[in-house]
Amino acid sequence: MSNYEMVIWLEIHIKLNSKTKLFCSCKNQQDFEELKPNTNVCPVCTGQPGALPVLQEEPLQKAVKLGLALNCHINKFSNFDRKSYFYPDLPMGYQITQLFQPTNVEGEVKFFVNDYQEEKSVKIKQAHIEADAWKTIHEGWKAFLDYNRAATPLVEIVTYPDFRSEDEVVEFLKELQRIVRFNNVGDADLEKGQMRVDVNISIRKKSEESSEEARRDDYSKLGTRVELKNMNSFSAVKRAIQHEFKRQVKLVEEWKQVDQETRGWNDTKWTSYTMRTKEDALDYRYFPEPDLPPLELTDEFIEEQRKQLVESSFERAKRYKEKYGFHKEFITPLISDLEISNYFEKLVTDGIKPKNAAKWIVTILLRYLNDDNISLSDVKFSYKDFLALLKKEQDGEILHSQAKDVFKEMYNTGRNPKEIIDEKGYKEQDDSELEELVKSVLYENPKAVEDIKNWKMKAIGFLVGQIMKKSSWRANPAKAKNMIMKIVW
């Protein structure tokens, strides 16, 4: 397989989290699990005769905002088109989408691979706006239609064939998910269908043209493509690509033809199956949507959406890596959630050393939140109190072990740190008291003192441990170590 490389491009549907659907004022529900079927419906989204679509403002705002976050060029003049096909969950017989003149075109997304060691860039062909279809529920020989999802707003992101590995695809998708969530244009939950990924994959000999040379719509040079569907997790996407790559290589090595087709992925069996061949491909008969006028955006409208963009997780990761020297252990948790990332940024701005802030958030705060399955906004203590605790530790007023104990009490009760510290009697020993304690421990452990004089430095750790025990853990270990060295030598 080392003689072949995979060539991949993606089609990703992102459900927007606007309050209304795309062409009517019906509620745009994000989670359908507990929603009664056919609740959020009207004549427009159910395709009743004579009912006309009216483009809603909020879905358009979020679609343009997403386009800007993907570094797309925003066409001030664009159109909607009618994509005609028959399927049980599309009673109108067509879908309203954008083909000839999309609103968002020619973008770029940067992301990291190999544990933030390597930067990658993928070009976006377009991120067009379209209405989602209905949902068909099959039970035995019966089929039921739920119109709640009908005409909910989507942005379909189409990339160029720039991917060369399954890891690149997964890391891109993770970055895309963060872009969507950070900018509050959607929830992008794969398991709930809010982010749907179709993978187009072909193979070719490694000696053939590079992606940069072959990218611009010349798909004939990229080998026969197969489209993979029905993947609802990043791990499933990765497994499906690995399987398809091996399947195509095996066919080529056996001098068999790779058929252009759409294949479904069964993640339980880790295998794919034919859904539709090229011969079965539908003729969508695209033409301009007659019930909607051309879309014209003003510069003011576009700039208003641009002002709402937040710094991307890629830029944050790059800054954390280059400015603070962080590695994967800190970077990944800090960029996974905007609220957590902003919390870290605020702590650093307010005087906490970046490494201290990251260590507290990643190893302590997030562990508590994850154990209780709550978010940062649900904690009982205030940001001001958390900052005060970290400052006391950073300034040496209390030890780290004491600070952790205080934090536990803050987390459980919401009390402020000063109150807890005073109650527990946590106070660092003054220098004179510590010096007397150090001399006492040295007197009681002459062998350890002799070991230090003979450069057996492990003895220092033993002595510091004795000092901590005798002080009921009030002594500052760093100061204790310095005093030991000063007295012994």
Side-chain angles (χ1 to χ4, degrees):
M1 290 188 186
S2 59
N3 294 329
Y4 297 90
E5 69 174 358
M6 59 180 76
V7 179
I8 296 172
W9 56 281
L10 304 176
E11 297 168 280
I12 308 130
H13 287 85
I14 300 293
K15 180 179 178 179
L16 304 180
N17 62 358
S18 57
K19 293 181 179 64
T20 69
K21 294 184 179 181
L22 187 56
F23 298 118
C24 65
S25 59
C26 288
K27 184 179 179 182
N28 177 26
Q29 190 85 12
Q30 293 301 299
D31 190 348
F32 299 116
E33 291 298 320
E34 299 180 4
L35 180 66
K36 184 179 177 181
N38 300 311
T39 301
N40 301 328
V41 297
C42 73
V44 174
C45 59
T46 54
Q48 300 302 310
L52 297 176
V54 178
L55 180 61
Q56 302 297 296
E57 185 172 9
E58 189 187 11
L60 176 62
Q61 290 172 337
K62 288 183 177 285
V64 172
K65 187 178 178 182
L66 179 54
L68 291 168
L70 299 174
N71 299 298
C72 286
H73 169 73
I74 310 299
N75 284 324
K76 288 196 288 184
F77 296 93
S78 56
N79 281 298
F80 284 97
D81 302 295
R82 185 173 291 190
K83 178 181 180 181
S84 300
Y85 64 97
F86 175 78
Y87 202 71
D89 61 7
L90 198 64
M92 285 192 300
Y94 63 85
Q95 177 188 33
I96 299 177
T97 182
Q98 291 183 315
L99 177 69
F100 302 111
Q101 290 180 292
T103 304
N104 307 317
V105 296
E106 299 302 334
E108 181 181 29
V109 173
K110 294 181 179 180
F111 58 99
F112 282 102
V113 293
N114 300 327
D115 293 338
Y116 305 98
Q117 297 304 305
E118 186 180 356
E119 293 183 23
K120 288 286 183 179
S121 174
V122 164
K123 298 292 185 183
I124 305 296
K125 184 178 181 182
Q126 62 191 52
H128 57 267
I129 308 167
E130 64 182 23
D132 204 352
W134 294 251
K135 183 179 181 180
T136 306
I137 302 156
H138 297 280
E139 291 186 8
W141 293 98
K142 297 179 180 179
F144 301 91
L145 293 177
D146 182 3
Y147 287 72
N148 282 325
R149 199 176 70 182
T152 54
L154 301 176
V155 169
E156 182 176 1
I157 300 165
V158 182
T159 78
Y160 283 104
D162 292 352
F163 300 96
R164 293 295 173 269
S165 74
E166 64 273 24
D167 289 330
E168 288 180 8
V169 170
V170 170
E171 292 306 319
F172 167 83
L173 291 174
K174 288 179 179 179
E175 179 66 22
L176 177 60
Q177 186 182 66
R178 290 190 291 263
I179 288 172
V180 171
R181 291 175 174 177
F182 276 31
N183 290 285
N184 190 29
V185 297
D187 296 332
D189 190 324
L190 273 77
E191 291 185 357
K192 294 179 180 178
Q194 297 163 350
M195 179 176 177
R196 306 197 293 268
V197 181
D198 295 339
V199 177
N200 295 275
I201 176 171
S202 61
I203 64 169
R204 66 180 180 187
K205 289 289 183 69
K206 285 185 177 179
S207 59
E208 293 178 24
E209 292 180 86
S210 70
S211 64
E212 195 65 35
E213 294 168 331
R215 178 191 295 150
R216 297 293 173 182
D217 292 323
D218 193 358
Y219 296 100
S220 63
K221 296 181 180 179
L222 302 180
T224 303
R225 73 175 177 91
V226 170
E227 184 179 25
L228 295 173
K229 288 181 174 289
N230 300 341
M231 296 158 289
N232 61 1
S233 70
F234 294 131
S235 57
V237 170
K238 186 172 184 176
R239 286 189 288 270
I241 292 173
Q242 290 171 336
H243 177 274
E244 181 59 24
F245 177 64
K246 292 176 182 177
R247 190 187 73 87
Q248 291 191 27
V249 169
K250 185 173 185 292
L251 287 172
V252 171
E253 291 292 321
E254 294 175 354
W255 296 91
K256 295 179 181 178
Q257 179 177 311
V258 176
D259 294 324
Q260 182 175 327
E261 60 180 331
T262 299
R263 298 181 70 86
W265 174 250
N266 186 323
D267 201 48
T268 303
K269 298 180 179 180
W270 287 25
T271 187
S272 61
Y273 55 91
T274 298
M275 295 177 69
R276 185 171 65 244
T277 65
K278 183 179 180 181
E279 288 71 24
D280 299 327
L282 299 170
D283 177 10
Y284 293 121
R285 297 182 290 112
Y286 285 99
F287 63 90
E289 172 55 53
D291 292 334
L292 287 167
L295 179 59
E296 182 176 353
L297 304 178
T298 64
D299 291 330
E300 291 76 18
F301 178 88
I302 296 171
E303 288 308 309
E304 184 182 337
Q305 312 318 312
R306 194 189 304 276
K307 288 176 184 177
Q308 298 176 36
L309 297 179
V310 300
E311 183 183 26
S312 72
S313 56
F314 169 79
E315 292 297 338
R316 292 177 191 234
K318 189 172 183 177
R319 180 158 48 82
Y320 297 164
K321 176 186 173 185
E322 295 176 354
K323 186 175 180 179
Y324 304 142
F326 289 173
H327 298 292
K328 175 185 177 182
E329 293 72 22
F330 282 169
I331 296 175
T332 299
L334 289 178
I335 67 169
S336 294
D337 180 85
L338 181 61
E339 191 178 28
I340 291 294
S341 186
N342 288 342
Y343 205 69
F344 166 76
E345 299 278 354
K346 188 165 176 55
L347 286 171
V348 173
T349 300
D350 289 338
I352 303 302
K353 294 176 182 177
K355 190 173 182 180
N356 289 352
K359 190 174 181 181
W360 265 95
I361 289 174
V362 173
T363 64
I364 300 174
L365 177 58
L366 282 178
R367 179 167 58 84
Y368 276 79
L369 297 181
N370 292 335
D371 286 347
D372 289 340
N373 194 28
I374 63 173
S375 65
L376 189 57
S377 57
D378 297 322
V379 297
K380 296 176 181 178
F381 58 82
S382 68
Y383 166 79
K384 182 181 177 182
D385 285 343
F386 187 63
L387 174 65
L389 175 65
L390 268 59
K391 279 190 173 180
K392 285 183 180 296
E393 185 207 17
Q394 186 167 283
D395 295 341
E397 294 181 32
I398 58 174
L399 303 175
H400 182 64
S401 58
Q402 296 170 337
K404 287 171 65 177
D405 194 32
V406 173
F407 174 81
K408 183 178 181 180
E409 184 72 16
M410 289 170 57
Y411 181 85
N412 290 329
T413 66
R415 296 168 64 197
N416 70 69
K418 184 179 183 306
E419 206 176 276
I420 300 169
I421 290 169
D422 290 344
E423 182 183 281
K424 291 180 176 290
Y426 288 152
K427 185 179 180 183
E428 186 182 325
Q429 290 179 315
D430 59 40
D431 289 352
S432 60
E433 186 182 357
L434 179 60
E435 187 174 1
E436 288 300 315
L437 181 58
V438 169
K439 288 178 178 178
S440 171
V441 170
L442 292 178
Y443 178 78
E444 293 171 359
N445 296 277
K447 185 178 184 307
V449 173
E450 194 64 30
D451 285 344
I452 294 172
K453 290 179 179 179
N454 292 324
W455 295 94
K456 296 179 180 179
M457 308 312 287
K458 285 184 179 180
I460 294 178
F462 166 75
L463 291 171
V464 170
Q466 296 303 306
I467 292 166
M468 296 301 294
K469 288 179 183 177
K470 280 182 170 287
S471 69
S472 298
W473 305 98
R474 288 173 54 228
N476 185 311
K479 284 185 178 181
K481 180 179 178 181
N482 290 335
M483 281 189 181
I484 292 171
M485 302 293 286
K486 184 177 180 181
I487 294 171
V488 171
W489 280 332

